[in-house]
Amino acid sequence: MNYQYSKRFNQFTPSMIRQVLVDAAGPDMINFSPGFPDRESFAVEEIQKLSQEVLNDSIYEILQYAPKPAYTGLQKAIKTFFNSLEPVVKESDDIMITSGSGEGLEMAAKVFLDEGDYMVVEDPSFIGALNGFKSNNAKLIGVPMDDEGLDLELLEQAFQRKPQPKLLYTIPTFQNPTCLTTTLERRKAIYELCKKYHVLILEDNPYGTLRFKGTSVPGYKSFDDARIVIYLASLSKIISPGIRLGAIVADKDITDHFAIMKGASGGAATNWSQYVITRFLNTVDMKQHIKRVSEIYQRKSTLMVETMKKTFHPDVQFKAPDGGMFVWFTLPDKIKPESFLQAAVAKHIAIVPGYCFATNYPSQGFRLSFTSESPEQIVKGITMLGELTYELMNQ
């Protein structure tokens, strides 16, 4: 039978990250491609203990359908946790629990965008979000970034186009894939442009708590006086991705619409994870827990960057991140990204080229994850990549 797939589906291509893993596969593969947290960061004993407690105390509630889209106890715990970091949740806001932050991004596209509507994204940006937007037939306008964040002139030009974009998607802190943090001055300028042109901001903050040096920068939501920011956060990077829990913080009118959309698709998040993470947030010293996770990532990040300094060709550009999970490097124009990727894969090293994350602008960049490999594999893999930079520069 010849299956007739939708036009929407046909716009997608197979995941480059998945294909790189297939091509680089082997018993000696060094995997710098996934954005997976380090397993050593998981609070295994606490999760085991709290899981048993909630199974003993609330077994029937956990096994039953959830009576509401979100467990009230978790909403309260998340509000307390978020607001201990910065003033995220305001009096006019509500908190919606999602199955990871990706669900919130897709729902935002469904709730706010009609067929063929435009939205603005950072270029490059998180491929999972871009595909989620495309799956809802959104038209994406990529705006490049400099060292301080989105290019303001090009951003305003994007907002002035007709039909006017409705949404701006941004990862302002330790951006995926570049690990760039938008400065406070640039954030305020971007926010004022969004108010001027009546554009809603989707502020995605999965990495903001993973800072291991420097000073925290206030998020858009913390100074949102016009109620135009939809704040999305995930607990995947600081507790566990397997729990599949995220949260949306926005004006209650917005979350009410999101709740309707969620009811039409997946319903409520899993009861078990909501109950366990409620207890986790209420009983674990989150400041100390985040400090421990950040220290793990700082050690690995430092090791990767210092090895790059020793082994990469001096014309390759990169800098040490202040947090997050990635290092971004840019090849000189002489080296074709496709050639570098092929050479890395031939050595069984999985890396992700920047053109996977691009919308409108070509990229000489590559993303490296320092979280999923051992220190020994980091040194080995980065040293081999460094040798490749010299080989290809000398060709």
Side-chain angles (χ1 to χ4, degrees):
M1 178 178 177
N2 292 323
Y3 297 105
Q4 298 297 313
Y5 296 107
S6 69
K7 293 179 181 178
R8 177 188 295 125
F9 179 81
N10 287 333
Q11 70 178 304
F12 295 106
T13 56
S15 166
M16 172 61 76
I17 297 176
R18 189 177 300 116
Q19 189 59 49
V20 167
L21 289 173
V22 171
D23 294 341
D28 58 343
M29 181 178 73
I30 298 175
N31 191 1
F32 294 142
S33 66
F36 289 2
D38 189 319
R39 58 186 294 177
E40 295 301 317
S41 71
F42 299 155
V44 174
E45 293 183 3
E46 287 89 345
I47 293 292
Q48 288 176 329
K49 174 178 175 290
L50 295 174
S51 294
Q52 192 58 57
E53 286 182 6
V54 299
L55 288 171
N56 290 338
D57 298 344
S58 309
I59 184 65
Y60 292 106
E61 291 88 342
I62 288 173
L63 295 180
Q64 186 56 274
Y65 285 118
K68 298 193 300 182
Y71 174 45
T72 303
L74 179 57
Q75 290 175 305
K76 292 179 179 178
I78 284 180
K79 178 179 180 179
T80 299
F81 171 58
F82 283 178
N83 282 356
S84 71
L85 304 173
E86 59 179 346
V88 172
V89 187
K90 312 292 179 59
E91 286 300 318
S92 60
D93 290 334
D94 197 8
I95 299 173
M96 180 176 177
I97 306 302
T98 61
S99 298
S101 60
E103 182 186 27
L105 295 172
E106 186 176 3
M107 284 195 297
K110 289 179 177 177
V111 168
F112 287 106
L113 301 180
D114 291 316
E115 181 84 15
D117 277 347
Y118 285 89
M119 64 178 295
V120 176
V121 298
E122 295 165 338
D123 199 349
S125 188
F126 172 45
I127 186 63
L130 301 183
N131 280 337
F133 300 142
K134 290 177 183 176
S135 72
N136 289 284
N137 289 340
K139 293 185 178 181
L140 307 183
I141 305 171
V143 173
M145 297 175 288
D146 57 29
D147 288 342
E148 296 187 0
L150 282 163
D151 183 300
L152 291 175
E153 182 178 351
L154 293 178
L155 180 63
E156 184 159 24
Q157 289 178 16
F159 286 170
Q160 289 172 339
R161 69 161 296 133
K162 302 296 182 183
Q164 183 180 321
K166 293 181 176 180
L167 300 173
L168 166 65
Y169 172 64
T170 176
I171 312 172
T173 305
F174 310 133
Q175 198 248 15
N176 183 1
T178 65
C179 217
L180 172 74
T181 293
T182 301
T183 64
L184 179 57
E185 182 180 6
R186 186 66 59 87
R187 292 183 193 206
K188 290 184 175 180
I190 291 168
Y191 183 80
E192 290 304 317
L193 281 178
C194 289
K195 283 206 298 186
K196 177 180 177 181
Y197 290 98
H198 307 287
V199 175
L200 293 175
I201 299 174
L202 297 181
E203 180 180 11
D204 196 3
N205 189 32
Y207 312 103
T209 53
L210 298 177
R211 175 176 289 279
F212 39 74
K213 63 180 179 179
T215 304
S216 295
V217 183
Y220 291 101
K221 192 69 178 70
S222 69
F223 54 81
D224 177 27
D225 58 6
R227 296 188 292 182
I228 62 170
V229 177
I230 301 169
Y231 181 89
L232 303 107
S234 168
L235 299 175
S236 297
K237 307 303 185 293
I238 57 172
I239 300 180
S240 156
I243 61 172
R244 304 310 305 137
L245 276 186
I248 299 171
V249 181
D251 186 87
K252 191 176 185 306
D253 186 64
I254 292 176
T255 57
D256 285 346
H257 282 75
F258 277 30
I260 294 171
M261 185 60 66
K262 186 172 178 62
S265 55
T270 305
N271 283 338
W272 171 83
S273 56
Q274 291 196 77
Y275 277 65
V276 170
I277 298 308
T278 299
R279 293 205 182 194
F280 192 98
L281 293 174
N282 287 337
T283 61
V284 172
D285 184 338
M286 290 302 296
K287 184 176 180 180
Q288 190 61 36
H289 172 72
I290 292 172
K291 180 175 182 291
R292 183 181 70 84
V293 175
S294 297
E295 287 174 349
I296 293 172
Y297 291 167
Q298 182 174 29
R299 289 194 295 270
K300 287 193 164 185
S301 168
T302 300
L303 178 62
M304 178 174 278
V305 170
E306 290 303 312
T307 307
M308 293 171 73
K309 289 178 181 178
K310 295 175 183 176
T311 62
F312 274 44
H313 191 283
D315 288 348
V316 178
Q317 297 179 1
F318 61 88
K319 64 179 182 179
D322 291 341
M325 300 172 63
F326 308 111
V327 175
W328 176 260
F329 70 90
T330 304
L331 295 172
D333 291 339
K334 184 176 179 180
I335 302 178
K336 293 183 179 180
E338 296 84 357
S339 299
F340 190 85
L341 177 62
Q342 291 172 5
V345 166
K347 291 181 176 292
H348 300 285
I349 304 174
I351 57 177
V352 189
Y355 54 76
C356 292
F357 306 95
T359 303
N360 298 122
Y361 293 85
S363 175
Q364 286 286 113
F366 279 83
R367 189 192 76 177
L368 298 172
S369 170
F370 52 77
T371 58
S372 54
E373 286 290 3
S374 68
E376 295 76 19
Q377 291 291 79
I378 289 175
V379 172
K380 180 179 178 181
I382 294 300
T383 300
M384 288 194 288
L385 291 178
E387 292 169 353
L388 286 179
T389 64
Y390 279 92
E391 290 177 14
L392 294 174
M393 280 296 289
N394 293 331
Q395 285 183 2

